[in-house]
């Protein structure tokens, strides 16, 4: 933390405001006092937060730690989501116990992970609850400030909580919630930024992003998921320091990209990555496509790549990203919509080309005519339609291989003047092999032995989370058909099969 940010005088003042029971004012000289956000303790009831909104797994961890005399809080994004009446994807806990004490409390079902900022993973009912410690965070802090004095109204606990929140990335993540006292602690104006729909860094954005450039990717992810905007300062440094993300560990980048393309915010994430100059650093094939199509930020429904991701967002909020090999193949060689639809059906049916042809040729719905990747439909006999579908499969296989080859990734980036020199590949080998197997069953036109497709189009989210082949094929086909043949009021006929 820079010297100018370290408070020289601590003053905590009480206001008898019925809406904000106790407000703590942070003062660092007269000028800073006017700018610093107020410290607030807010009743959780004000936001309609109920005990039932916290899952049993999180409650079990909270109860066990509290029963041993430790203070416990929910912290970070889960508090933000509860305030916004969204369902948190996970519940993180912070406690006054050190990590060794946490591990001892859950003997046999907890493990300490991480190096820079270690945390404890507690396993509860096939779920993982992340537990961090105030002590660990204090050791990892960049500030060497030590609590020495306080106003009569300012408790040491407030200072400890403030100190921890000071090290977090964004104000809307710098919130703590004591579910037993039903109090939310807000030391950096996070609640106000939620009201304003802003993603703002806790410390000045330039300093924050230089300390940890992964915060740039998290800023994009959070803004996309919540539909929030950046203040001018944050937006400036997201763009200015975008190239710094290339310094991150490849695994970390992959994790962030996976998060962006999942949880129902893939389209918004791609738009923001393009807007702030990050797409060419991370996804060169997609950036090259946007450049070649002269994509405009305000385009609605005319960009096939974004529509594919938008349809995926509409269907589900998965915990796995989808690969856009199909789109990359269509960019290279546009196809008849019937060919694309029949390919999707053959994939869904495990390579049963005969049945895929019968169903595909029965489609009597108008395709989306706004995509340059789709040709005007024509009449096909079975032999030529099979040949076109298998040709598309070959093209997809080639595109997938190139998207996982350092040489081709580097070449794709070279086509974009502002892109860095890089050969990062983000599709893991295991995922590549699984997708390749799906494509090959269509390419060879032979039904996969022992495979049974789903009998209906309903999505089983549990199966999808585990990558069950039938469910993956089901979702893929739903996304493709909803992109090719969107619903409209003029033609509501659907594929009878």
């Amino acid at each position: 933390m820079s010297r100018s940010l370290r408070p020289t005088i601590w003053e905590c003042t009480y206001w008898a405001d019925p809406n904000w029971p106790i407000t703590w004012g942070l003062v660092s000289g007269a000028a800073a006092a006017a700018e610093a956000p107020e410290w607030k303790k807010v009743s959780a009831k004000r936001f309609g937060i109920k005990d039932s909104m916290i899952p049993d797994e999180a409650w079990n961890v909270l109860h066990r730690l509290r029963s041993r005399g430790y203070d416990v809080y929910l912290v970070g994004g889960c508090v933000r989501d509860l305030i916004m009446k969204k369902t948190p994807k996970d519940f993180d806990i912070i406690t006054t116990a050190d990590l060794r004490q946490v591990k001892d409390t859950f003997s046999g079902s907890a493990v300490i992970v991480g190096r820079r900022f270690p945390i404890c993973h507690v396993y509860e009912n096939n779920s993982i609850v992340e537990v961090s410690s105030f002590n660990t965070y204090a050791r990892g802090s960049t500030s060497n400030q030590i609590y020495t004095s306080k106003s009569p109204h300012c408790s040491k606990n407030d200072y400890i909580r403030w100190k921890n929140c000071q090290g977090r990335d964004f104000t809307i993540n710098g919130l703590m919630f004591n579910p037993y006292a039903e109090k939310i602690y807000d030391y950096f104006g996070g609640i106000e930024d939620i009201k304003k729909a802003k993603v703002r860094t806790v410390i000045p954005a330039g300093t924050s992003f230089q300390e940890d450039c992964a915060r740039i990717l998290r800023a994009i992810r959070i803004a996309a998921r919540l539909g929030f905007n950046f203040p001018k300062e944050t937006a400036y440094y997201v763009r200015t320091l975008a190239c710094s993300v290339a310094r991150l560990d490849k695994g970390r980048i992959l994790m962030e990209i996976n998060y962006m393309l999942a949880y129902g915010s893939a389209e918004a994430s791609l738009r923001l990555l393009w807007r702030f100059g990050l797409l060419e650093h991370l996804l060169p094939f997609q950036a090259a496509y946007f450049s070649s199509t002269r994509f405009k930020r305000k385009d609605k429904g005319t960009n096939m790549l974004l529509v594919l991701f938008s349809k995926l967002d509409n269907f589900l909020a998965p915990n796995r990203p989808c690969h856009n090999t199909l789109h990359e193949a269509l960019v290279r060689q546009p196809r008849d919509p019937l060919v694309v639809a029949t390919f999707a059906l053959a994939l869904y049916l495990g390579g049963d080309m005969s049945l895929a042809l019968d169903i595909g040729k029965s489609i009597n719905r108008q395709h989306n005519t706004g995509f340059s990747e789709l040709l005007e439909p024509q009449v096909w006999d079975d032999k030529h339609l099979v040949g076109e579908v298998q040709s598309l499969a070959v093209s997809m296989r080639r595109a997938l291989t190139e998207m996982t080859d350092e040489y081709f990734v580097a070449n794709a980036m070279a086509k974009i003047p502002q892109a860095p020199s890089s050969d990062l590949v983000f599709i893991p080998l295991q995922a590549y092999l699984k997708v390749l197997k799906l494509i090959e069953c269509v390419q060879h036109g032979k039904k996969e032995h022992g495979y049974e497709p789903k009998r209906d189009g309903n999505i089983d989210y549990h199966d999808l989370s585990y990558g069950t082949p039938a469910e993956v094929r089901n979702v893929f086909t739903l996304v493709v058909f909803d992109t090719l043949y969107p619903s409209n009021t003029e033609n509501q006929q659907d594929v009878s099969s």
Side-chain angles (χ1 to χ4, degrees), residues 199-240:
V199 179
R200 179 169 61 87
T201 53
V202 170
I203 62 176
T207 303
S208 180
F209 294 151
Q210 288 181 57
E211 285 185 357
D212 182 2
C213 57
R215 289 173 177 170
I216 295 173
L217 297 181
R218 288 204 298 273
I220 294 289
R221 168 162 55 90
I222 292 169
R225 180 176 175 236
L226 301 180
F228 280 18
N229 297 309
F230 300 130
K232 289 183 179 179
E233 180 202 18
T234 305
Y236 172 80
Y237 283 106
V238 167
R239 178 177 292 280
T240 302

Side-chain angles (χ1 to χ4, degrees), residues 13 68 110 152 159 205 211 215 225 252 257 270 315 425 433:
T13 311
R68 293 203 171 192
Y159 175 77
E211 285 185 357
R215 289 173 177 170
R225 180 176 175 236
R252 179 59 183 277
I257 293 295
L270 284 182
F315 275 118
V425 171
L433 294 175

